[in-house]
Amino acid sequence: MTIVPILLYHSVSAEPDGWIAPYSVSPRVFAQHVDLMVASGRTAMTISSLVAALRDPTTLPPRPLAITFDDGFADFAAAAGMLAANGLPSTLYVTTGALRGRRSSQQLCLPPASMLYWSQVAELSDHDVEIGAHTHTHPQLDTLGKQAADDEIRRSKNLLEDVLAHEVPSFAYPHGFHSARVRDAVKAAGYTSSCAVMNSLSSASDHPFALARLTIQATTTTEQLTRWLAGLDAPVAPYPERWKTKAWRTYRRVRGSRSSRGVITHAIPPPPQVSHSHR
């Protein structure tokens, strides 16, 4: 079986905002990670290149690797340059409403942070970066009604394609949350793949619309990353879902957007109480 580590990063910053700090690494640590990726002997691929190769195994390298980033933090520009300098392509999943510029949204489900400008996104292809969609406002898609979920899924794709002037075929679920209905909506919108989280190694048998990723956190050691790059120390997707996971998913969907477990924004302080205001 071909095992594929798909790494999930968020921010690469020495001074990240407090809410994203647990999911950030410093530039010094990231440089160590890049060295480990190169030393692993794996062939880095964008997600769309990987999915295409999985459909045609004759084009799949023996030891593939995918490096992904979520959201679109401003510090990704430097990280992408570091990866490109080492011959490592990557995939950036953009929350379009969070980008700086005229298409930004005032109804984000993410706290304020320094994000990329729209103009920078168009330039990232020079660093061998695939741009994928990550919704417009970063909601928990599986708790939304069909129309609202469809709008989030399609709007981010349309906005990116308008700016990039080419197709955007890959998608990532905010927080990794998805359902059969959400997966169907992603397919119907014209995407060819989507990434979940699962904190597992992916494989040639993984679901192309629920690709497993390994979350890099501030606490992830170089030893742990070395083992993941070796295809060790994590479950390999696909695998049978535990009943506890199914029960938790049902519970959080009943609670809807009030559910905070597994949601990065759970650390945000509540907004000040203002009469007749809406978050």
Side-chain angles (χ1 to χ4, degrees):
M1 176 188 294
T2 300
I3 293 177
V4 188
I6 303 180
L7 306 179
L8 166 56
Y9 288 89
H10 289 85
S11 174
V12 177
S13 172
E15 297 181 348
D17 290 312
W19 66 273
I20 198 61
Y23 299 91
S24 300
V25 295
S26 69
R28 179 185 62 81
V29 169
F30 186 67
Q32 295 174 345
H33 289 191
V34 171
D35 288 342
L36 291 175
M37 296 174 204
V38 173
S40 73
R42 289 188 172 272
T43 300
M45 310 176 74
T46 64
I47 289 294
S48 289
S49 295
L50 173 63
V51 170
L54 290 173
R55 293 191 179 112
D56 179 9
T58 61
T59 65
L60 184 68
R63 289 171 55 79
L65 163 70
I67 307 156
T68 71
F69 285 75
D70 279 7
D71 300 329
F73 292 94
D75 51 59
F76 175 74
M82 194 182 304
L83 290 167
N86 285 274
L88 300 171
S90 58
T91 302
L92 171 65
Y93 289 109
V94 176
T95 302
T96 48
L99 296 176
R100 288 184 281 184
R102 60 186 178 88
R103 299 172 181 84
S104 61
S105 171
Q106 301 300 313
Q107 301 297 323
L108 281 176
C109 301
L110 287 175
S114 179
M115 309 300 280
L116 292 166
Y117 285 95
W118 273 99
S119 58
Q120 290 177 284
V121 172
E123 297 166 356
L124 284 168
S125 58
D126 293 339
H127 292 303
D128 206 3
V129 176
E130 176 184 6
I131 302 298
H134 196 42
T135 72
H136 189 61
T137 68
H138 206 275
Q140 302 177 51
L141 283 175
D142 59 338
T143 67
L144 298 183
K146 183 179 186 305
Q147 183 175 349
D150 286 351
D151 179 71
E152 286 283 349
I153 291 165
R154 292 174 180 273
R155 190 191 307 189
S156 55
K157 179 179 174 70
N158 292 339
L159 287 172
L160 287 169
E161 290 178 346
D162 285 347
V163 169
L164 299 174
H166 62 70
E167 184 182 4
V168 172
S170 60
F171 182 83
Y173 308 107
H175 315 291
F177 298 152
H178 59 95
S179 64
R181 176 174 61 83
V182 171
R183 292 194 299 273
D184 288 345
V186 170
K187 293 178 191 177
Y191 296 98
T192 58
S193 70
S194 50
C195 281
V197 180
M198 299 171 66
N199 289 315
S200 303
L201 292 155
S202 186
S203 74
S205 301
D206 204 0
H207 195 305
F209 284 90
L211 294 168
R213 295 189 287 175
L214 296 156
T215 306
I216 304 296
Q217 302 185 51
T219 55
T220 302
T221 64
T222 53
E223 291 76 16
Q224 180 65 77
L225 178 57
T226 298
R227 291 193 290 271
W228 285 344
L229 290 170
L232 302 172
D233 277 9
V236 178
Y239 51 81
E241 191 173 62
R242 297 184 303 169
W243 71 266
K244 288 183 178 180
T245 303
K246 293 180 180 179
W248 169 70
R249 181 184 297 112
T250 300
Y251 169 76
R252 58 170 300 279
R253 288 177 187 164
V254 169
R255 286 183 58 82
S257 60
R258 295 173 298 163
S259 179
S260 60
R261 182 179 172 187
V263 179
I264 290 177
T265 55
H266 72 277
I268 311 170
Q273 296 298 313
V274 179
S275 178
H276 304 298
S277 69
H278 181 68
R279 181 179 178 276

